[in-house]
Amino acid sequence: NAGVTQTPKFQVLKTGQSMTLQCAQDMNHNSMYWYRQDPGMGLRLIYYSASEGTTDKGEVPNGYNVSRLNKREFSLRLESAAPSQTSVYFCASSGQGRFTEAFFGQGTRLTVV
Amino acid sequence: AQKVTQAQTEISVVEKEDVTLDCVYETRDTTYYLFWYKQPPSGELVFLIRRNSFDEQNEISGRYSWNFQKSTSSFNFTITASQVVDSAVYFCALSEEGGGADGLTFGKGTHLIIQP
């Protein structure tokens, strides 16, 4: 069972470039999330999707867009990357939303130069 | 204001010592859940425990134990007889019923170093 799979694992972008981070889960979970982790900051919620067809902003949504393509897949797009978006990005999913444990992907380390 | 405070940025102990990681949370909800996650040097996040606000029983799982005290808004994590493999960053997290966003609010983490 793969759980939550993120691609790519590493990425270097130039300022202004765009890219999409992919995430897929095979646990039939309704809820999916994107977090970013910065040194000394813990994880902060960027966007989430409580069910297929819905997406909502989290704590730090500026500069990002998301798409819940189907129940399995939830992508995160940076339209014009900025150095402030250098971070480790984690996708997660959970079965019953906010009160159940989330399962995390391996993370994507993104550097914007 | 921080909703989850992990005041200990880094803790270093010698193997076999007991160590307690502190977590203080803030919420106005009566229904909420608290979580602990482990992030080893490899970087993945590993779920350790979930506790709801109505269950104040302490929990023990092997060398790990958790002490939940609503009176002090704390959910502390103790590792008994620590081992080098326990070295990791540990995150405490909160999920509130009335929170605007789904998802977890994380503390900033405690970096635990177990020296051989």
Side-chain angles (χ1 to χ4, degrees):
Chain A
N1 218 354
V4 180
T5 303
Q6 288 181 236
T7 55
K9 288 187 170 45
F10 300 94
Q11 184 71 48
V12 178
L13 288 179
K14 293 183 178 178
T15 298
Q17 285 186 319
S18 62
M19 80 161 295
T20 299
L21 280 64
Q22 306 288 351
C23 175
Q25 53 91 8
D26 62 4
M27 295 175 282
N28 201 35
H29 285 168
N30 288 319
S31 299
M32 296 187 73
Y33 313 86
W34 277 104
Y35 292 88
R36 60 177 288 173
Q37 182 180 17
D38 301 295
M41 295 294 293
L43 282 83
R44 292 180 292 170
L45 184 65
I46 305 171
Y47 270 93
Y48 67 98
S49 170
S51 62
E52 185 179 350
T54 68
T55 61
D56 285 287
K57 296 178 180 180
E59 181 185 353
V60 288
N62 290 345
Y64 305 95
N65 286 302
V66 290
S67 294
R68 183 75 182 266
L69 305 169
N70 47 55
K71 191 171 186 178
R72 290 187 64 248
E73 298 172 287
F74 188 39
S75 62
L76 178 72
R77 182 161 178 83
L78 287 71
E79 290 290 353
S80 179
S84 60
Q85 295 177 304
T86 293
S87 187
V88 180
Y89 291 85
F90 286 96
C91 177
S93 70
S94 67
Q96 299 291 334
R98 64 180 71 208
F99 288 147
T100 54
E101 61 268 30
F103 294 85
F104 286 80
Q106 297 276 39
T108 296
R109 186 172 295 274
L110 174 68
T111 302
V112 183
V113 298
Chain B
Q2 268 185 301
K3 288 197 169 184
V4 180
T5 301
Q6 296 180 256
Q8 305 150 309
T9 304
E10 184 173 287
I11 300 174
S12 181
V13 300
V14 176
E15 197 172 21
K16 297 184 184 176
E17 287 186 12
D18 298 348
V19 59
T20 295
L21 309 182
D22 298 333
C23 173
V24 174
Y25 62 93
E26 178 186 329
T27 180
R28 294 181 180 177
D29 289 354
T30 55
T31 302
Y32 54 90
Y33 277 74
L34 295 161
F35 301 77
W36 276 93
Y37 282 84
K38 174 183 180 180
Q39 186 176 43
S42 51
E44 74 272 22
L45 283 144
V46 179
F47 166 76
L48 295 177
I49 191 172
R50 177 183 66 152
R51 177 53 49 90
N52 75 58
S53 53
F54 298 106
D55 182 3
E56 286 194 73
Q57 268 195 322
N58 291 334
E59 179 147 346
I60 299 174
S61 177
R63 296 184 296 106
Y64 294 174
S65 63
W66 290 268
N67 179 251
F68 176 32
Q69 291 196 334
K70 287 177 76 170
S71 60
T72 56
S73 297
S74 65
F75 186 42
N76 297 337
F77 173 32
T78 297
I79 302 175
T80 303
S82 60
Q83 300 176 1
V84 172
V85 292
D86 296 326
S87 296
V89 179
Y90 290 87
F91 291 100
C92 181
L94 167 71
S95 183
E96 302 165 279
E97 182 180 49
D102 201 341
L104 300 168
T105 300
F106 283 85
K108 294 185 178 182
T110 296
H111 185 198
L112 178 62
I113 301 167
I114 310 297
Q115 300 181 19

